[in-house]
Amino acid sequence: MLLAIDVGNTNIGFSIHDGEGFVANWRCATVPDQTADEYFVWLRTLLGSMDSPVRTDSIDRVIVSSVVPQVLFNICIFCDRYLGFPPLVVGQPDCRLGIEVRVDIGTEVGADRIVNTVGAYDRYGGDLVVVDFGTATTFDVVDHDGAYIGGVIAPGVNLSVEALHRAAAALPRIDVSVPDRVIGTNTRMCMRSGVFWGYIGLIEGVTTRIREERGRPMKVVGTGGLAALFRRGTGVFDVVDSDLTMYGLILIDEFNRTAE
């Protein structure tokens, strides 16, 4: 079985794939100083609680996408110590991607953005804009042949909400939801409207400018925890794909095994 791990700045996703499909998916908060031993105890407990329990020794491969170096370090120790082998790490020289990354020389591209590109190209073809609602809101452009050719990084929705609360003493902390109307009649309603419709404007504006700059039709794929919510306010998305990152990890693992 394959253990796929997606380490983001806010959450870490763990998925078990048996070769035919995902049999389990879990998330935990990203804690940079969490140890390899703690990851093992947590994962072993979850594996044992499944309807059909899975033993850790049945995991024969691990692939990791990470944007948090300290967490990646501890995940690698966990794999070596408790699974008996190192993980395949997206972004390291020994990990083949199956696509080209066409950016400025010396530029480091987040592993999650590359993984999304791989998954999106396989499912939807080329000429894509992949909008990922994570700690940052990213717009990744996929060329006609599947190459990653750059994109846009904007502050994430929850990050913006928290910054607004921290910077303005009189403004409360709010949840992100679809407002009943644009014009708010109290502080919370005004903030929810500003966040929701402000990000709708961001999404529509950036994707429109990308299409204009590319000069061709482009599908827009949404992913990440808030993609389904923001889809309710705009028709810009052709599809929302909640498991795009994990699917991309599965593809990269398969590509590396068949390329050996």
Side-chain angles (χ1 to χ4, degrees):
M1 288 190 177
L2 171 69
L3 171 61
I5 305 174
D6 174 36
V7 181
N9 286 294
T10 304
N11 293 301
I12 307 175
F14 294 78
S15 293
I16 303 292
H17 195 275
D18 65 0
E20 297 182 0
F22 293 109
V23 298
N25 297 279
W26 303 291
R27 300 185 75 79
C28 69
T30 301
V31 180
D33 57 358
Q34 186 149 315
T35 68
D37 302 327
E38 290 172 317
Y39 283 120
F40 173 67
V41 171
W42 179 81
L43 184 61
R44 183 178 61 178
T45 301
L46 289 173
L47 290 171
S49 69
M50 295 171 59
D51 292 337
S52 299
V54 174
R55 292 171 54 91
T56 54
D57 59 11
S58 67
I59 298 173
D60 56 11
R61 304 184 319 281
V62 179
I63 184 169
V64 183
S65 164
S66 176
V67 297
V68 186
Q70 181 60 38
V71 173
L72 176 60
F73 176 78
N74 291 326
I75 291 288
C76 289
I77 292 177
F78 153 70
C79 292
D80 282 327
R81 181 177 297 169
Y82 291 107
L83 301 180
F85 54 85
L88 179 66
V89 179
V90 178
Q92 291 189 352
D94 63 339
C95 180
R96 304 176 181 90
L97 300 174
I99 63 164
E100 290 187 46
V101 179
R102 300 181 189 137
V103 295
D104 294 343
I105 296 174
T107 300
E108 292 188 10
V109 180
D112 54 338
R113 304 176 76 183
I114 299 301
V115 172
N116 284 345
T117 295
V118 172
Y121 178 64
D122 186 79
R123 279 183 167 167
Y124 310 110
D127 288 324
L128 304 175
V129 182
V130 181
V131 186
D132 189 353
F133 294 86
T135 304
T137 300
T138 58
F139 300 75
D140 296 313
V141 182
V142 185
D143 208 349
H144 66 94
D145 60 352
Y148 175 86
I149 57 172
V152 175
I153 302 175
V157 180
N158 288 316
L159 186 65
S160 296
V161 169
E162 184 63 23
L164 189 62
H165 166 68
R166 288 181 179 274
L171 296 181
R173 183 179 283 107
I174 62 167
D175 61 328
V176 182
S177 59
V178 181
D180 295 330
R181 52 185 181 271
V182 176
I183 301 173
T185 53
N186 59 58
T187 301
R188 290 183 180 274
M189 290 174 62
C190 291
M191 292 175 68
R192 288 195 181 99
S193 184
V195 170
F196 184 81
W197 294 113
Y199 269 87
I200 291 296
L202 170 71
I203 296 160
E204 293 177 339
V206 172
T207 53
T208 295
R209 289 179 180 276
I210 289 173
R211 284 169 164 159
E212 290 174 349
E213 190 168 293
R214 295 288 293 160
R216 66 183 70 179
M218 303 190 75
K219 293 181 182 178
V220 179
V221 180
T223 191
L226 292 174
L229 175 71
F230 282 96
R231 187 183 195 180
R232 294 167 60 184
T234 179
V236 73
F237 294 109
D238 293 283
V239 63
V240 167
D241 191 333
S242 60
D243 70 346
L244 185 63
T245 305
M246 285 301 176
Y247 179 66
L249 285 172
I250 299 303
L251 292 176
I252 293 173
D253 171 73
E254 290 178 354
F255 182 77
N256 280 266
R257 285 190 293 119
T258 57
E260 291 177 353

